[in-house]
Amino acid sequence: APCEKTCRGDDELVVVDIDGTVTRTDAGGVLASSEFGQSIGLLHAHEGVSEVLSYISSGGYRLLFLTARPITRSEATKKYLNQIGQEEGVAMPEGALM
């Protein structure tokens, strides 16, 4: 389980769907996290999403990012999430990926 080492039994989780919620569309989000999308700086995320999730995280909630992407894309997905918000100076908060 993605939280077994980082979450406690009394943690309050917020489940965040990546594609179509963090990203503007499913396909655009998958493309943005691909090697090609990352090489050209494509983000395709909703404006302000990192600010909203940072606010939620600052309230003590743990984020659990949910995706239907294959496990082979997990590192690329994590890298993509880390890039969101960098231009605005508000990094995407940390969270487990499932």
Side-chain angles (χ1 to χ4, degrees):
C3 275
E4 68 185 19
K5 294 181 182 175
T6 61
C7 294
R8 299 185 318 259
D10 60 346
D11 282 343
E12 295 179 294
L13 297 177
V14 173
V15 178
V16 182
D17 177 48
I18 296 173
D19 298 309
T21 305
V22 170
T23 64
R24 294 191 303 258
T25 65
D26 291 356
V30 172
L31 177 62
S33 69
S34 70
E35 286 184 30
F36 172 73
Q38 291 185 10
S39 72
I40 63 169
L42 182 63
L43 287 180
H44 200 69
H46 283 288
E47 187 175 326
V49 70
S50 58
E51 289 91 343
V52 169
L53 293 176
S54 291
Y55 178 78
I56 291 170
S57 179
S58 71
Y61 295 95
R62 303 292 299 258
L63 301 180
L64 175 62
F65 292 98
L66 182 65
T67 184
R69 297 175 187 194
I71 191 95
T72 57
R73 300 297 306 152
S74 64
E75 288 305 314
T77 301
K78 290 175 189 176
K79 183 177 178 183
Y80 168 70
L81 289 172
N82 288 333
Q83 292 174 339
I84 296 173
Q86 295 298 323
E87 291 179 2
E88 294 84 27
V90 180
M92 183 71 77
E94 291 185 14
L97 179 65
M98 186 162 109

